[in-house]
């Protein structure tokens, strides 16, 4: 039986498509490797030659300047050549299929693809069709997964809380549409976090969310009580008014993270957000910029975690 | 079997003697993980140097990454003083092909441009594949090509042993 598309026959990581199904050992290997790269990023020369002579293609079928930039910085600090392709604006408009695009890039000797697509499973499709030795990293596919975000979040938690085995972690907001939440939950459960809570209105929680091993709360105060980590999610603007929510203001009143609501959590709880934030919707400015916020360190650690993933994949040819 | 190996502790004592006239309060002592770092700590103590001792991990500059990939590595370079413009003593346990030293120099340069670097090796087993030589050597030793020289620490004492190299 094949272990999954992500792991080679010897169990080594060959693509990063999802945090689901990755063994704890693999996750820890990525986090430990990221530790090394955090120190590289603090040096005078923020560059190491591991990916020298290799080409990484950022293939984004869905726009995202921020995520693409973090992958670009990570690859450049590993000395890779980076090509950014905003496909939304070019080939698909001309009718080229996803695989045609990838095959064309592969013919240009790409070694690694970072793929973002609005359809779940698109990076998996690419991974199934690339040559051996070519690696694929999922940079977000539909509502399915965003594994490097999930990994940088668990890296940040480990940095501040050291030990996963006694933590209570709450994820707040639009779980239903969030590939980030799914990647976080799988990583947290695999690494042994005993209690992962999801907090949100019924309309923004998947019907079968308990199957992921989480506790469900609809009341913010109850859900936050005693939490060590509060992870807020971005509320997509297209969901702020519509059938699922009355308004952004109503959402903020019930689920926006304010100092008063945060007071329910443990006094040394950390506050996280994957960015970009809607201040005054899912999180208040006083919390986002407050003493418990680790939102900016998340961004910094994100570079190191993406460097770790790329270096591990490149070494597992 | 290789000839009897020298006592590591005695070699460190004689290296410290040899280095005494070549260091001052601004000299930066840097050991290469893991054996070189142990030797550097001993030398640091014996010489009574003022700057704290530094350590270099060479993983990120190895030249066999394409073959062996990136293995789990907890060790990290730590240089507790500015490298820029400083005289550096780079310390390793076993000098062999010279590839470790090449990688260590690249790693060192990522922290700044030293004024000078001199190489200290506990033992030199020959077999160089690069134009690299030590400035201070504890001893030259003969080891069979199929053997590795390993420095280990037991009960606070360093010891050299020859082991069959893994294929």
């Amino acid at each position: 039986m094949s272990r999954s598309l992500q792991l080679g026959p010897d169990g080594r990581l060959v693509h990063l498509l999802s945090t689901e199904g990755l063994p704890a050992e693999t996750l820890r290997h990525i986090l430990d490797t990221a530790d090394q790269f955090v120190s590289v990023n603090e040096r005078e020369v923020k560059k190491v030659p591991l990916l020298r002579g290799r080409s990484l293609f950022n293939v984004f079928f869905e726009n995202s300047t921020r995520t693409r930039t973090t992958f670009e910085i990570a690859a450049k600090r590993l000395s890779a050549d980076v090509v950014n392709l905003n496909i939304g604006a070019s080939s698909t408009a001309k009718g080229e299929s996803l695989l045609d695009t990838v095959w064309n890039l592969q013919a240009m000797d790409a070694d690694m693809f970072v793929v973002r697509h609005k359809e779940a499973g698109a990076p998996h499709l690419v991974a199934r069709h690339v040559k051996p030795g070519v690696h694929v990293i999922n940079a977000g596919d539909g509502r399915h997964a965003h594994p490097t975000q999930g990994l940088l979040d668990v890296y940040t938690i480990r940095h501040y809380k050291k030990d996963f085995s006694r933590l209570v972690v709450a994820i707040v907001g639009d779980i239903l549409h969030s590939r980030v939440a799914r990647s976080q939950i799988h990583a947290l459960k695999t690494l042994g976090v005993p209690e992962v809570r999801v907090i949100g209105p019924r309309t923004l929680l998947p019907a079968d969310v308990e199957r992921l091993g989480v506790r469900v709360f609809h009341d913010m105060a109850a859900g936050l009580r005693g939490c060590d980590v509060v992870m807020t999610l971005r509320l997509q603007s297209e969901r702020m008014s519509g059938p699922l929510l009355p308004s952004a203001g109503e959402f903020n009143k019930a689920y926006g993270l304010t100092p008063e609501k945060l007071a329910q959590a443990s006094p040394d709880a950390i506050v996280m957000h994957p960015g970009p934030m809607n201040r005054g919707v899912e999180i208040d400015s006083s919390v986002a910029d407050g003493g418990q916020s680790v939102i900016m360190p998340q961004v910094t650690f994100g570079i190191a975690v993406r460097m770790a993933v790329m270096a591990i994949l490149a070494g597992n040819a | 079997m290789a000839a009897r190996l020298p006592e590591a502790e005695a070699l460190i004592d004689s290296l410290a003697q040899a280095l005494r006239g070549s260091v001052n309060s601004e000299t930066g002592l840097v050991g290469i993980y893991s054996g070189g770092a142990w030797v550097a700590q001993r030398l640091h103590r014996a010489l009574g140097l003022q700057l704290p001792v530094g350590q270099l991990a060479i993983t990120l500059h190895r030249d066999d990454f394409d073959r062996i990939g990136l293995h789990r590595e907890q060790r990290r370079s730590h240089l507790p003083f500015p490298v820029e413009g400083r005289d550096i003593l780079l310390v390793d346990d076993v000098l062999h092909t010279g590839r470790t030293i090449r990688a260590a120099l690249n790693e060192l340069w990522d922290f700044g441009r030293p004024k000078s670097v001199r190489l200290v090796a506990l033992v030199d087993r020959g077999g160089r594949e690069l134009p690299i030589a030590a400035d201070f050597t504890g001893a030259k030793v003969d080891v069979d090509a199929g053997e590795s020289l390993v420095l280990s620490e037991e009960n606070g004492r360093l010891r050299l042993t020859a082991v069959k190299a893994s294929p």
Side-chain angles (χ1 to χ4, degrees):
Chain A
M1 203 191 116
S2 77
R3 295 199 47 183
S4 93
L5 201 48
Q6 307 192 82
L7 302 173
D10 53 359
R12 298 206 293 174
L13 193 71
V14 290
H15 304 293
L16 179 68
L17 305 173
S18 166
T19 52
E20 184 178 7
L22 289 184
E25 184 58 23
T26 305
L27 297 181
R28 282 194 289 265
H29 182 195
I30 295 170
L31 302 187
D32 291 348
T33 304
D35 271 338
Q36 281 187 74
F37 291 124
V38 167
S39 68
V40 167
N41 290 331
E42 291 163 353
R43 292 181 190 179
E44 174 133 343
V45 178
K46 296 173 184 57
K47 204 177 186 82
V48 292
L50 290 178
L51 264 61
R52 197 160 67 98
R54 309 211 193 194
S55 303
L56 177 136
F57 281 62
N58 272 322
V59 191
F60 277 55
F61 294 88
E62 186 184 85
N63 282 332
S64 162
T65 309
R66 180 188 302 232
T67 302
R68 200 209 62 216
T69 305
T70 60
F71 277 103
E72 183 175 352
I73 293 169
K76 285 180 169 170
R77 290 197 181 157
L78 292 169
S79 307
D81 295 313
V82 182
V83 179
N84 292 314
L85 286 149
N86 210 335
I87 307 282
S90 64
S91 299
T92 43
K94 298 177 194 142
E96 187 176 72
S97 81
L98 168 62
L99 284 178
D100 278 329
T101 303
V102 167
W103 283 326
N104 268 282
L105 298 175
Q106 194 169 252
M108 299 175 203
D109 293 320
D111 298 293
M112 207 175 283
F113 290 107
V114 176
V115 180
R116 168 168 285 200
H117 203 287
K118 65 180 193 308
E119 299 293 338
H124 300 65
L125 181 71
V126 175
R128 260 193 293 275
H129 288 90
V130 293
K131 291 186 286 198
V134 176
H135 309 284
V136 178
I137 299 172
N138 181 1
D141 62 328
R143 298 179 188 180
H144 173 246
H146 191 356
T148 57
Q149 179 71 45
L151 287 166
L152 81 86
D153 291 334
V154 292
Y155 182 91
T156 306
I157 293 172
R158 188 173 82 162
H159 177 86
Y160 288 100
K161 297 294 175 187
K162 311 298 177 210
D163 179 15
F164 291 111
S165 71
R166 299 156 72 119
L167 292 182
V168 179
V169 178
I171 305 172
V172 187
D174 180 5
I175 314 284
L176 179 65
H177 301 99
S178 177
R179 54 196 176 202
V180 172
R182 252 167 281 268
S183 291
Q184 289 168 338
I185 292 167
H186 289 300
L188 290 167
K189 297 302 291 182
T190 304
L191 289 167
V193 173
E195 187 169 343
V196 180
R197 302 175 180 176
V198 295
I199 311 172
R202 277 170 220 285
T203 51
L204 293 179
L205 294 176
D208 58 348
V209 67
E210 284 101 339
R211 290 212 346 238
L212 297 173
V214 297
R215 285 186 69 190
V216 177
F217 291 83
H218 302 298
D219 178 71
M220 191 72 163
L224 289 181
R225 204 157 292 141
C227 278
D228 303 295
V229 179
V230 184
M231 304 166 94
T232 48
L233 295 171
R234 175 176 163 75
L235 186 68
Q236 308 285 340
S237 55
E238 62 268 30
R239 323 237 192 261
M240 286 184 192
S241 59
L244 300 177
L245 274 186
S247 71
E250 286 298 309
F251 179 84
N252 177 257
K253 210 179 286 173
Y255 297 104
L257 193 61
T258 58
E260 297 73 38
K261 292 185 192 125
L262 181 59
Q264 296 291 330
S266 162
D268 62 351
I270 54 171
V271 173
M272 300 168 62
H273 190 292
M277 289 182 280
N278 298 300
R279 290 171 182 264
V281 182
E282 69 264 10
I283 188 164
D284 276 21
S285 277
S286 56
V287 175
D289 306 330
Q292 287 169 267
S293 167
V294 297
I295 295 171
M296 286 304 113
Q298 278 180 276
V299 177
T300 305
F301 294 149
I303 305 284
V305 168
R306 289 177 174 120
M307 288 170 78
V309 170
M310 290 173 187
I312 290 170
L313 290 176
N316 293 350
Chain B
M1 243 342 250
R4 237 165 46 82
L5 292 168
E7 285 285 337
E9 296 287 348
L11 291 181
I12 290 171
D13 292 342
S14 66
L15 271 177
Q17 285 298 335
L19 285 166
R20 212 168 289 279
S22 306
V23 295
N24 59 47
S25 60
E26 290 298 312
T27 306
L29 192 66
V30 179
I32 301 173
Y33 270 118
S34 52
W38 292 334
V39 176
Q41 276 158 11
R42 299 299 168 89
L43 291 174
H44 186 262
R45 207 182 314 148
L47 294 167
L49 293 179
Q50 294 177 12
L51 290 173
V53 64
Q55 287 155 348
L56 283 177
I58 61 153
T59 330
L60 301 177
H61 283 284
R62 289 180 69 112
D63 61 7
D64 50 4
F65 171 67
D66 284 330
R67 282 187 287 139
I68 65 170
L70 200 61
H71 288 275
R72 192 173 211 127
E73 183 65 79
Q74 304 279 12
R75 303 181 297 218
R76 248 170 294 159
S77 294
H78 177 60
L79 290 160
F81 44 76
V83 169
E84 190 74 27
R86 189 176 302 283
D87 289 314
I88 300 287
L89 278 179
L90 180 63
V91 182
D92 203 4
D93 51 357
V94 180
L95 181 58
H96 185 203
T97 63
R99 287 176 193 270
T100 300
I101 307 304
R102 195 279 307 160
L105 289 172
N106 282 130
E107 176 82 6
L108 186 61
W109 253 254
D110 285 351
F111 291 85
R113 180 181 184 271
K115 181 171 175 222
S116 72
V117 180
R118 284 169 297 168
L119 179 60
V120 181
L122 185 67
V123 294
D124 181 350
R125 63 171 288 185
R128 219 77 81 239
E129 295 168 1
L130 296 174
I132 281 171
D135 297 281
F136 301 92
T137 308
K140 287 191 192 310
V141 295
D142 284 318
V143 189
D144 291 347
E147 287 181 315
S148 289
L149 266 186
V150 177
L151 186 69
S152 55
E153 192 171 28
E154 276 168 45
N155 305 323
R157 287 186 65 79
L158 295 177
R159 206 162 73 91
L160 274 168
T161 42
V163 296
K164 274 261 173 290
S166 45

